[in-house]
């Protein structure tokens, strides 16, 4: 039992900081519903699509792996996904290929999609190789920044909204990185550092449980019968 007690103390010193970090980050991540963290309350609902007069460019979609119909600022469009992951769009009114967004179009898309109280401050083109930390996407995009700290990201090739990032989302993302001990990519939930510290924490907890039930020597009684 004395050995268990010593091991428990040393493991407590070793994993105390990670355990505190896991508890704090876990607490922060539970403060708001995930829908609010994702900024779903800041997005407007797209209007219904009028199905009359839609044009489907069937002859041009032989290599498509997925097709979806969406309502965009300039009208309905077919979003096409190719087998290699590439995405582009066709006008559902004319059947013509629509070019990637330009800055003025990105501004209109962001303003139409945003339901918050902030004002649009900037629209910035972000290539895939310099994707911001709060997007981390392998494609070119436009970032619309609002005065309340909200960033709306649009895929350049299709004009679709791919992410709404609030200040709280960025804090949540940082806490998630702490929680899984991956502050760089914030995606790897299975790496040696996390596994080792988690295993040591479990061992320390089990030792603590064992020590709770250890036998104690009976306290000596003093005095006797009169």
């Amino acid at each position: 039992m004395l050995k268990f007690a010593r091991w428990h103390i040393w493991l407590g010193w070793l994993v105390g900081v990670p355990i505190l970090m896991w508890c704090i980050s876990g607490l922060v991540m539970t403060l708001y519903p995930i829908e609010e963290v994702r900024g779903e309350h800041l997005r407007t609902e797209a209007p219904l699509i009028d199905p009359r007069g839609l044009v489907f460019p069937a002859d041009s979609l032989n290599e498509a792996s997925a097709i979806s119909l969406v309502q965009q600022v300039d009208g309905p469009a077919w979003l096409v996904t190719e087998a290699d992951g590439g995405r582009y769009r066709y006008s559902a009114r004319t059947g013509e290929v629509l070019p990637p967004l330009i800055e003025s179009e990105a501004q209109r898309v962001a303003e139409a999609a945003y339901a918050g109280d902030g004002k649009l401050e900037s629209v910035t083109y972000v290539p895939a190789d310099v994707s911001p930390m709060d997007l981390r996407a392998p494609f070119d995009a436009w970032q619309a920044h609002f005065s309340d700290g909200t960033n709306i990201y649009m895929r350049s090739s299709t004009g679709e909204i791919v992410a709404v990032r609030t200040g709280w989302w960025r804090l949540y993302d940082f806490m998630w990185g702490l929680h899984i001990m991956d502050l760089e990519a914030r995606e790897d939930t299975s790496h040696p550092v996390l596994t080792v510290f988690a295993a040591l924490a479990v061992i320390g907890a089990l030792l603590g449980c064992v020590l709770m039930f250890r036998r104690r020597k009976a306290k000596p009684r003093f005095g006797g019968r009169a």
Side-chain angles (χ1 to χ4, degrees):
M1 286 297 177
L2 289 177
K3 286 184 178 181
F4 283 174
R6 293 192 188 98
W7 294 344
H8 181 68
I9 292 171
W10 282 109
L11 285 174
W13 281 108
L14 183 61
V15 302
V17 172
I19 289 176
L20 181 62
M21 180 178 66
W22 291 332
C23 291
I24 293 174
S25 59
L27 174 62
V28 171
M29 290 190 292
T30 63
L31 293 179
Y32 291 95
I34 191 62
E35 294 81 10
E36 187 172 342
V37 173
R38 291 172 178 164
E40 294 181 10
H41 62 294
L42 296 175
R43 293 191 61 169
T44 59
E45 292 187 8
L48 296 176
I49 298 174
D50 183 355
R52 293 173 296 181
L54 295 182
V55 177
F56 185 73
D59 296 338
S60 304
L61 302 178
N62 296 328
E63 302 299 325
S65 62
I67 303 171
S68 59
L69 178 64
V70 299
Q71 182 66 272
Q72 296 193 325
V73 173
D74 295 325
W78 300 103
L79 298 187
V80 180
T81 303
E82 297 179 315
D84 62 358
R87 288 175 67 84
Y88 57 95
R89 58 181 177 158
Y90 283 89
S91 169
R93 294 301 183 196
T94 65
E96 298 177 347
V97 176
L98 295 174
L101 290 184
I102 60 174
E103 183 176 353
S104 60
E105 291 175 315
Q107 179 177 340
R108 289 193 295 116
V109 171
E111 290 176 332
Y114 178 68
D117 299 324
K119 294 183 178 179
L120 181 62
E121 293 186 336
S122 64
V123 176
T124 307
Y125 180 73
V126 286
D129 57 350
V130 291
S131 185
M133 193 63 185
D134 61 350
L135 179 61
R136 301 196 294 272
F139 51 77
D140 300 339
W142 286 93
Q143 179 202 72
H145 179 73
F146 291 82
S147 58
D148 62 353
T150 300
N151 290 335
I152 291 181
Y153 289 97
M154 298 147 280
R155 190 165 185 147
S156 175
S157 61
T158 61
E160 60 189 310
I161 304 296
V162 293
V164 177
R165 303 305 193 209
T166 62
W168 184 255
W169 186 95
R170 287 184 281 275
L171 176 60
Y172 183 101
D173 187 53
F174 176 74
M175 288 297 170
W176 169 249
L178 283 178
H179 203 71
I180 64 172
M181 295 184 170
D182 179 17
L183 283 175
E184 185 174 356
R186 302 178 188 177
E187 294 180 357
D188 190 358
T189 59
S190 179
H191 55 87
V193 175
L194 180 60
T195 302
V196 168
F197 274 104
L200 291 176
V202 170
I203 294 172
L206 291 175
L207 288 175
C209 292
V210 171
L211 292 172
M212 286 176 59
F213 297 101
R214 66 181 178 177
R215 290 189 175 184
R216 298 177 180 273
K217 291 183 179 180
K219 293 182 179 180
R221 293 184 178 182
F222 296 96
R225 293 182 179 180

